[in-house]
Amino acid sequence: MRRLLAIVLSISLLVLPVQARETKYVALTFDDGPSGKYTRKLLDGLYDRGVQATFLLCGYRMQDYPDLTQRIFDEGHEIGYHGFTHKNMQSMSRRDIAGELEDSQALLPEGCQPVFLRPPGGCCSDAVRQVAEVRNLAILSWSVDPRDWATHDTAAVERAVLKNVKDGDIVLLHDMSDSSVQAALDIVDVLLDKDYEIVTVSRLVRLRGVKLRPGQVYTRFQKTS
């Protein structure tokens, strides 16, 4: 009798429904590039992992690295504006801000149509918002900032992100040093193991059913109930 009960229990466990894990989404964004060997290493690592990210590019660096700018676009990553000179836009006139965008736009790959502007340092103003609105650009901020530009400690950057990241977050990183790039790739590996899908910001927007409003600032895209 005991053996029969054990068999029945085993069969019942086999037919119990398995609750599927819900996929979580996060967008990794990279400011200030392209930067030569660091961007190449990052792109190689993202390609090997099948991951796409959002790059906020500076015009003067696109001018220096047109091949990397094209590669970013060709490999399915998203490109957004980060100004031409990387100067603080908060004190600029609307004319100067527009000039920063126009000079950058001239260097974009054919067919690339950015939908995001991230002013350097995230420093926004009424003029920045007004120019973004006229040019049909949303302003992209972030919700997780490990300050990777201020340290060469790869492990510290990883901890700062992994301790705080949640579904729908936008993570601010840079492809300007080996420590930042290595931290980014390590973060990707951990998040993938934790059932996160790493996507471009535009894909995250679509997944969350958000209609972007030009000139509005976005920091993250939470799931709405």
Side-chain angles (χ1 to χ4, degrees):
M1 183 65 178
R2 185 176 298 172
R3 183 177 180 185
L4 179 60
L5 287 173
I7 293 172
V8 171
L9 179 60
S10 297
I11 293 173
S12 67
L13 289 174
L14 289 173
V15 298
L16 282 174
V18 177
Q19 186 173 5
R21 293 184 179 181
E22 185 176 3
T23 302
K24 296 168 285 188
Y25 297 95
V26 65
L28 300 186
T29 65
F30 296 91
D31 283 12
D32 297 357
S35 64
K37 65 179 182 179
Y38 303 123
T39 301
R40 289 189 187 92
K41 178 180 176 179
L42 177 61
L43 290 174
D44 289 345
L46 295 176
Y47 182 85
D48 289 343
R49 293 160 173 81
V51 165
Q52 292 175 331
T54 297
F55 289 79
L56 291 308
L57 301 182
C58 291
Y60 79 97
R61 288 192 174 275
M62 288 193 281
Q63 203 168 45
D64 289 342
Y65 299 104
D67 57 328
L68 285 174
T69 304
Q70 187 68 51
R71 180 181 170 187
I72 289 169
F73 181 67
D74 290 344
E75 293 184 359
H77 303 289
E78 180 173 23
I79 293 176
Y81 293 114
H82 200 45
F84 188 90
T85 62
H86 199 261
K87 292 180 180 177
N88 189 331
M89 292 183 177
Q90 199 167 27
S91 58
M92 288 186 184
S93 67
R94 285 178 294 182
R95 181 189 296 273
D96 288 342
I97 295 167
E100 290 269 329
L101 299 181
E102 290 167 3
D103 290 345
S104 296
Q105 185 177 6
L107 299 167
L108 292 172
E110 183 177 355
C112 179
Q113 296 180 322
V115 297
F116 291 109
L117 162 64
R118 175 176 284 166
C123 299
C124 204
S125 67
D126 288 342
V128 171
R129 286 185 284 270
Q130 289 163 6
V131 172
E133 185 174 5
V134 168
R135 294 178 176 272
N136 202 33
L137 297 169
I139 298 172
L140 184 62
S141 188
W142 55 83
S143 51
V144 179
D145 178 9
R147 292 175 58 83
D148 62 316
W149 56 269
T151 178
H152 292 291
D153 187 336
T154 299
V157 174
E158 294 171 21
R159 287 194 301 270
V161 172
L162 297 172
K163 179 182 177 181
N164 296 293
V165 72
K166 300 180 293 298
D167 178 53
D169 272 332
I170 298 170
V171 180
L172 170 62
L173 293 163
H174 299 77
D175 50 328
M176 302 297 292
S177 69
D178 190 64
S179 58
S180 289
V181 168
Q182 188 58 56
L185 296 177
D186 291 345
I187 288 163
V188 167
D189 291 337
V190 173
L191 291 180
L192 292 176
D193 285 343
K194 291 186 174 182
D195 298 310
Y196 277 89
E197 186 174 339
I198 299 166
V199 296
T200 64
V201 178
S202 284
R203 183 161 178 231
L204 182 56
V205 169
R206 293 193 295 271
L207 286 164
R208 293 295 145 87
V210 174
K211 182 175 175 57
L212 293 174
R213 294 173 55 190
Q216 181 167 319
V217 179
Y218 294 89
T219 58
R220 66 190 307 259
F221 295 93
Q222 295 173 285
K223 185 177 181 180
T224 55
S225 55

